């Protein structure tokens, strides 16, 4: 799909652009979707709000769960239709048990593997306490929510050199003419799968940069394939952004945002994109 370029080359040392503008709550007069990338340090927690549904992708750390819960309370969100856990590192699954305890979660989606981490075991215990069973994503799943179409792409292998990160579920979402790619913590093998798959086009308008911006041998190739208009790094302010990644995005004219500078909200009406950073 065509790209609407408004970005500029970002200096390697600064490597960010803050696009500040007003924001309003979604109403029937302002239809669309709202994607919130929470500032939870070097972790992922992303909330997607459509007109009538709410999807949480990852849950940050155990001790950052209150950031998500406070936001849900502020937005008067008492139910999540889906919680999608991309994989089981503590910065993605750590807050899952607290969120399950605090709000109604209709369905949990997760990759088909297990972990022995404390945070994963706490999440599993809470699922048992609530008599819930997660749906294991073993083949490509598709969801349609208020005009937002989700494709959830699972790992294609049973084993990876990187045991956790390369099991990441990857989420492609389209809304109108706009597209969003959430790439979990994919490392080299998983990125190679994405570059070779044919189920969906890799070109997307908004990219959640994989693995908080860590560079792999094929990361730059992946970035050129995605060619995003907006790239979001889920990393703290004091975590340096890789210079090669920054340079590649700069050449693409991509606007770069770091959650370490504050929670990022992207509003989309199916055509235009509006980005606000707190």
């Amino acid at each position: 799909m065509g790209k609407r370029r408004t970005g500029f080359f970002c200096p390697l040392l600064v490597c960010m652009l803050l696009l500040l503008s007003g924001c309003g709550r979604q109403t029937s007069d302002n239809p669309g979707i709202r994607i919130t990338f929470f500032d939870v340090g070097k972790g992922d927690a992303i909330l997607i709000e459509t007109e009538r549904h709410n999807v949480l992708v990852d849950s940050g750390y155990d001790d950052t769960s209150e950031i998500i819960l406070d936001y849900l309370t502020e937005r008067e969100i008492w139910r999540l239709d889906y919680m999608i856990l991309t994989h089981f590192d503590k910065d993605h699954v750590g807050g899952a048990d607290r969120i399950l305890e605090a709000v109604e979660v209709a369905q949990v989606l997760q990759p088909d593997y297990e972990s022995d981490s404390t945070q994963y075991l706490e999440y599993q215990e809470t699922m048992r306490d609530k008599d819930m069973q997660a749906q294991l994503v073993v083949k490509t799943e598709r969801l349609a929510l208020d005009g937002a179409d989700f494709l959830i792409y699972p790992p294609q292998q049973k084993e990876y050199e990187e045991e956790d990160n390369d099991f990441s579920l990857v989420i492609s979402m389209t809304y109108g003419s706009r597209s969003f790619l959430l790439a979990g913590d994919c490392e080299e093998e998983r990125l190679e799968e994405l570059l070779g798959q044919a189920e969906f086009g890799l070109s997307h308008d908004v990219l959640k940069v994989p693995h908080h911006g860590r560079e792999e041998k094929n990361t730059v190739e992946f970035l050129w394939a995605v060619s995003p208009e907006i790239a979001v790094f889920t990393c703290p302010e004091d975590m340096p952004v890789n210079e090669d990644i920054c340079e590649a995005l700069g050449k693409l004219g991509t606007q770069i945002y770091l959650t370490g500078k504050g929670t990022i909200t992207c509003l989309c009406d199916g055509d235009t994109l509006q980005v606000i950073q707190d």
Side-chain angles (χ1 to χ4, degrees):
M1 66 185 65
K3 300 293 183 185
R4 178 173 54 85
R5 295 296 188 194
T6 57
F8 63 88
F9 181 81
C10 93
L12 296 182
L13 295 179
V14 180
C15 197
M16 66 191 67
L17 170 68
L18 300 181
L19 182 63
L20 299 175
S21 53
C23 169
R25 177 186 287 266
Q26 288 168 288
T27 68
S28 59
D29 297 326
N30 181 28
I33 59 172
R34 180 185 185 107
I35 304 100
T36 303
F37 301 85
F38 292 101
D39 176 10
V40 291
K42 184 178 171 288
D44 278 16
I46 303 160
L47 180 67
I48 301 166
E49 300 170 64
T50 71
E51 186 177 359
R52 294 169 297 176
H53 297 90
N54 303 291
V55 178
L56 181 67
V57 179
D58 288 329
S59 60
Y61 295 91
D62 181 84
D63 61 3
T64 61
S65 58
E66 288 302 319
I67 294 172
I68 303 167
L69 293 173
D70 287 347
Y71 180 90
L72 295 178
T73 299
E74 178 185 340
R75 296 283 295 169
E76 299 181 353
I77 295 172
W78 316 117
R79 182 181 191 272
L80 297 174
D81 297 276
Y82 295 94
M83 180 164 67
I84 303 172
L85 298 173
T86 62
H87 64 295
F88 302 135
D89 280 353
K90 64 182 180 180
D91 53 326
H92 293 255
V93 75
D97 58 332
R98 294 177 180 267
I99 290 164
L100 286 163
E101 290 166 353
V103 299
E104 178 187 355
V105 179
Q107 181 67 61
V108 178
L109 304 181
Q110 68 171 61
D112 184 15
Y113 81 105
E114 296 181 348
S115 171
D116 58 2
S117 71
T118 299
Q119 291 77 19
Y120 172 79
L121 295 176
E122 289 174 347
Y123 149 65
Q124 287 290 295
E125 181 180 2
T126 303
M127 290 286 284
R128 288 192 296 271
D129 290 345
K130 299 184 73 66
D131 196 25
M132 295 178 63
Q133 186 169 357
Q135 176 182 340
L136 304 181
V137 181
V138 296
K139 61 181 180 61
T140 302
E141 297 286 345
R142 289 173 169 81
L143 307 173
L145 303 173
D146 300 325
D149 294 319
F150 295 76
L151 183 150
I152 306 169
Y153 184 69
Q156 302 298 294
Q157 301 173 200
K158 293 294 185 182
E159 294 183 1
Y160 291 92
E161 183 176 345
E162 173 46 59
E163 293 184 350
D164 284 308
N165 291 335
D166 274 341
F167 281 110
S168 291
L169 300 178
V170 173
I171 300 164
S172 171
M173 180 183 71
T174 58
Y175 186 72
S177 65
R178 294 299 191 167
S179 54
F180 305 79
L181 185 63
L182 309 180
D185 273 2
C186 293
E187 296 193 22
E188 184 178 353
E189 287 184 273
R190 190 80 168 102
L191 291 178
E192 199 63 35
E193 287 180 358
L194 291 170
L195 286 165
Q197 58 79 35
E199 290 199 66
F200 59 98
L202 269 185
S203 178
H204 284 71
D205 297 296
V206 179
L207 171 68
K208 200 291 294 186
V209 178
H211 202 188
H212 318 288
R214 173 177 168 178
E215 185 181 21
E216 302 292 335
K217 290 182 180 179
N218 50 1
T219 299
V220 171
E221 180 185 359
F222 174 75
L223 294 175
W224 278 94
V226 177
S227 188
E229 182 176 321
I230 294 166
V232 176
F233 289 77
T234 52
C235 62
E237 185 177 3
D238 60 357
M239 177 179 169
V241 178
N242 180 276
E243 291 189 359
D244 291 338
I245 292 177
C246 185
E247 182 176 6
L249 291 172
K251 289 178 179 178
L252 288 166
T254 303
Q255 299 170 6
I256 296 175
Y257 295 85
L258 278 64
T259 55
K261 283 289 187 180
T263 289
I264 297 161
T265 302
C266 182
L267 303 177
C268 178
D269 62 7
D271 181 27
T272 61
L273 291 170
Q274 182 185 20
V275 180
I276 303 104
Q277 187 153 33
D278 295 343

